[in-house]
Amino acid sequence: MEIEVKNLDHVKIVILTGDLNANTSGEAETKINQLIMGGNRKLIIDLENLNYISSAGLRIFLASNKLIRKMNGEIRFCTLNPTVKEVFEISGFNLIFKLYPDQDSSIASFT
Amino acid sequence: MTLEIANQLREIEKVQIQLVDYLKELPLDDYDRKKIFIAVDEILSNIINYGYDDNERHTIQIRFDATETGMNMEFIDDGKYFDPIHFVRHHLPKVQLDDEKSGGLGLHLVHRLMNQMQYNRVDDKNRLILGLNYTNNNQ
């Protein structure tokens, strides 16, 4: 799992590359929560390069979203590949999170 | 291909590494390949996290059996009785915005992503068989 963070003026973009599963989700959760605890209130998670996501990965998104909402922030997602999109739909994540087809539209949504 | 791992989460990676090579030779697309990885991760992590009440070392056996049109996966463990098919039929996935626990979500994912799911208890062991029909053979 590779985790890259892009810093924009008003938003942080977290780009996840690889597999988000039972073994890697802890590392991703730590990084995302560090950003939240560092005062970032607008996070975009880019999933274009995510190979696959399991329920362990979905749970960290729920946990991190719970944390950021306490601080009046929000996590949004962009560029879901077909497999990740199907997992989001099966689990109902497409109904509880805002999803965008690309980075530009997700950035614009926060302005 | 038959593999055996210990009941430790880090052992799942060993299966995934073997699986990458095994799947290279098969006529399945990237979409189906990812479904197999998700199913393996969910089933093994479920067995390891919830299958045992002791701290002993246990062995989990996984068998992959590829055909021309699909893949069968068999998981055998000596953990406590657990019928995942009964579970998904009687527990709706409860995903809520503020609830990261959302128990059972992984089994529901497997149930939806796979085409067949069979369970039986044999010789005091759980035996789960998953079947995936390759998407490029359904079209």
Side-chain angles (χ1 to χ4, degrees), chain A residues 23 52 55 59 69 86, chain B residues 9 16 31 42 97 101:
Chain A
N23 277 312
Y52 73 86
S55 61
R59 284 194 189 88
R69 275 163 51 92
E86 183 170 1
Chain B
L9 283 178
Q16 292 166 334
Y31 178 67
E42 296 293 357
L97 201 55
K101 295 184 179 66

Side-chain angles (χ1 to χ4, degrees), chain A residues 19-23 50-56 58-59 62-63 65-66 69 81-83 86-87 90-93 96-97, chain B residues 9-10 12-13 16 31 33-35 37-38 41-42 45 95-106 108-109 112-113:
Chain A
D19 307 332
L20 191 53
N21 57 30
N23 277 312
L50 198 64
N51 186 32
Y52 73 86
I53 182 170
S54 72
S55 61
L58 294 175
R59 284 194 189 88
L62 286 175
N65 193 60
K66 187 175 180 178
R69 275 163 51 92
N81 66 48
T83 315
E86 183 170 1
V87 169
I90 292 171
S91 59
F93 271 47
I96 60 177
F97 286 105
Chain B
L9 283 178
R10 61 180 176 272
I12 298 175
E13 193 175 356
Q16 292 166 334
Y31 178 67
R33 189 180 62 80
K34 288 174 180 175
K35 285 197 215 178
F37 274 89
I38 293 170
D41 187 85
E42 296 293 357
S45 58
V95 178
Q96 295 174 3
L97 201 55
D98 285 329
D99 183 10
E100 68 272 24
K101 295 184 179 66
S102 299
L105 181 57
H108 282 278
L109 285 178
R112 290 281 300 273
L113 293 174

Side-chain angles (χ1 to χ4, degrees), chain B:
Chain B
M1 177 173 75
T2 301
L3 303 170
E4 288 189 350
I5 62 167
N7 55 322
Q8 300 288 330
L9 283 178
R10 61 180 176 272
E11 294 271 298
I12 298 175
E13 193 175 356
K14 292 181 182 175
V15 179
Q16 292 166 334
I17 290 169
Q18 297 280 326
L19 198 51
V20 167
D21 286 337
Y22 182 67
L23 297 182
K24 271 181 190 170
E25 309 301 323
L26 302 177
L28 78 173
D29 60 23
D30 192 51
Y31 178 67
D32 289 336
R33 189 180 62 80
K34 288 174 180 175
K35 285 197 215 178
I36 292 170
F37 274 89
I38 293 170
V40 167
D41 187 85
E42 296 293 357
I43 297 302
L44 291 179
S45 58
N46 199 61
I47 293 168
I48 293 164
N49 284 328
Y50 306 112
Y52 303 100
D53 290 328
D54 58 34
N55 293 317
E56 302 298 314
R57 186 186 192 280
H58 295 268
T59 299
I60 303 164
Q61 188 181 79
I62 314 109
R63 192 161 65 87
F64 298 91
D65 183 14
T67 68
E68 288 185 1
T69 57
M71 167 78 76
N72 291 318
M73 294 171 272
E74 183 180 23
F75 300 82
I76 298 174
D77 69 84
D78 63 347
K80 56 192 176 189
Y81 169 83
F82 178 72
D83 181 348
I85 299 171
H86 182 273
F87 180 88
V88 295
R89 285 180 181 160
H90 293 85
H91 297 80
L92 292 173
K94 295 174 184 172
V95 178
Q96 295 174 3
L97 201 55
D98 285 329
D99 183 10
E100 68 272 24
K101 295 184 179 66
S102 299
L105 181 57
L107 291 174
H108 282 278
L109 285 178
V110 173
H111 189 244
R112 290 281 300 273
L113 293 174
M114 295 289 113
N115 298 103
Q116 295 94 34
M117 202 168 175
Q118 297 173 38
Y119 171 83
N120 50 29
R121 181 85 176 172
V122 182
D123 297 333
D124 237 14
K125 292 181 178 178
N126 297 300
R127 179 171 174 264
L128 176 67
I129 298 174
L130 303 179
L132 174 70
N133 303 330
Y134 298 151
T135 305
N136 57 14
N137 283 301
N138 292 336
Q139 294 171 346

Side-chain angles (χ1 to χ4, degrees), chain A residues 44-98:
Chain A
I44 294 168
I45 301 181
D46 186 324
L47 302 177
E48 183 174 18
N49 299 322
L50 198 64
N51 186 32
Y52 73 86
I53 182 170
S54 72
S55 61
L58 294 175
R59 284 194 189 88
I60 68 156
F61 292 152
L62 286 175
S64 294
N65 193 60
K66 187 175 180 178
L67 180 63
I68 202 169
R69 275 163 51 92
K70 284 180 182 170
M71 301 170 183
N72 297 316
E74 188 177 350
I75 295 174
R76 298 178 181 179
F77 295 87
C78 72
T79 49
L80 283 68
N81 66 48
T83 315
V84 174
K85 191 176 180 186
E86 183 170 1
V87 169
F88 266 54
E89 288 171 354
I90 292 171
S91 59
F93 271 47
N94 57 322
L95 302 176
I96 60 177
F97 286 105
K98 291 179 179 169

